[in-house]
Amino acid sequence: VYKRQSCMLTAWEAASGRLRWRRGGEQNVPGRGEDFVGEPVPVGGQVLVVLRSGQELAVAMLSPADGSTVRQMTLCLLQQEALRVPRYAPICPTVAEGVAYIPSDAGLLFAVDVHRWECLWAARYPVVVPTYRGAPAGFARGGGRSGLVALPGPASPPVVVGRTVVLAPADTTDVLGFDRDSGRLAWRFPAGPGRYLIGALGNSVLVGGQRITAIDAGSGQSIWLAGEFGRVTGRAGLAGTRLLVPTDRGRPMPIKTASKPSAMTLSRLN
């Protein structure tokens, strides 16, 4: 359960539905207790979580039996400016081949070896969140004294494609590609407000929003753009090689794709 001020992590017994344990939440003093700001990820019989305690952003492994901390690592100290920014979505880590890729929503992406429990690299990227006086779709108050802040879109975990980690962080409206080995920022794609990562298809990553874009994960170049299917009303999802896009036309509209996205064709199934 995610709350704006504090996030509680709970574990429930599947058979009985009884609460087994909980951590964080309203029993903590704001700014002094545990804020679980990320979605938990099961890793090797334990649970990987991202949490904030005071100014510290940390990653921890918890025991699923009682929620106790098995090990914990501080990733960074958040500046006061980052602490004052209201959270609109949780931090979503990804674990691939023993490495956890953890966004911070504070201008940094971390790669942590979950077996050796060490930070492999921390990559910095430019934070660009424009402010607006108007209130178009995808924007909310919080961008300054008189401005509004552009909401990047629903939370989505990093997507690993080949040797590239693709990120759509909450503190910029760009989609970013990082070298998986070094953490070097390889490319930036200006996707605009409301964007999110749908998933990987071949060597490309699909970016959702009011339009669907396929980006080459190696170069960051747009491969194709689809947007002629009405107003999008929710998150798109991959089903094999078929992309389902909910629209205002009354039912999800399938977009047939191929292993090579450049050969994509659009169709509406009757």
Side-chain angles (χ1 to χ4, degrees):
V1 179
Y2 176 75
K3 297 181 180 180
R4 182 173 176 178
Q5 293 293 333
S6 181
C7 187
M8 180 186 298
L9 187 66
T10 58
W12 304 81
E13 294 182 359
S16 64
R18 291 180 298 185
L19 177 67
R20 174 172 289 187
W21 53 262
R22 69 178 182 178
R23 288 184 58 174
E26 294 177 350
Q27 71 269 26
N28 293 314
V29 177
R32 296 184 182 180
E34 296 172 321
D35 261 353
F36 287 91
V37 295
E39 297 180 352
V41 179
V43 179
Q46 298 176 347
V47 181
L48 182 142
V49 296
V50 182
L51 57 94
R52 192 171 73 184
S53 180
Q55 288 185 259
E56 290 188 3
L57 183 71
V59 58
M61 298 290 281
L62 306 183
S63 168
D66 57 8
S68 60
T69 301
V70 178
R71 48 188 175 175
Q72 182 169 322
M73 177 194 308
T74 298
L75 296 174
C76 66
L77 294 178
L78 298 174
Q79 297 180 353
Q80 291 298 326
E81 289 77 7
L83 294 173
R84 286 195 295 264
V85 174
R87 296 203 53 79
Y88 299 103
I91 292 174
C92 302
T94 288
V95 179
E97 298 181 0
V99 178
Y101 299 97
I102 306 170
S104 66
D105 291 349
L108 289 168
L109 172 67
F110 299 93
V112 174
D113 189 311
V114 297
H115 301 299
R116 294 184 294 177
W117 202 240
E118 62 179 4
C119 184
L120 302 178
W121 48 258
R124 186 178 295 277
Y125 57 85
V127 175
V128 181
V129 182
T131 58
Y132 298 82
R133 293 182 181 276
F139 297 83
R141 295 190 178 278
R145 295 179 180 176
S146 60
L148 301 178
V149 63
L151 302 184
S156 50
V159 175
V160 178
V161 185
R163 306 314 304 171
T164 304
V165 182
V166 182
L167 178 67
D171 51 355
T172 176
T173 54
D174 291 340
V175 174
L176 310 173
F178 298 86
D179 180 83
R180 189 175 175 184
D181 298 319
S182 65
R184 176 182 60 87
L185 179 59
W187 51 262
R188 296 172 59 186
F189 184 86
R195 87 289 181 271
Y196 59 92
L197 301 183
I198 300 172
L201 183 65
N203 294 323
S204 66
V205 61
L206 302 183
V207 180
Q210 284 303 307
R211 298 182 296 180
I212 308 298
T213 308
I215 302 175
D216 181 82
S219 65
Q221 298 297 312
S222 174
I223 302 175
W224 52 258
L225 177 68
E228 302 300 325
F229 37 70
R231 186 175 64 86
V232 177
T233 58
R235 293 190 69 146
L238 275 173
T241 58
R242 177 165 292 183
L243 179 64
L244 299 178
V245 184
T247 73
D248 59 356
R249 295 180 179 179
R251 58 175 175 164
M253 181 177 180
I255 300 179
K256 294 180 180 179
T257 62
S259 57
K260 294 182 179 180
S262 58
M264 186 205 73
T265 58
L266 295 178
S267 68
R268 182 176 184 181
L269 301 186
N270 297 317

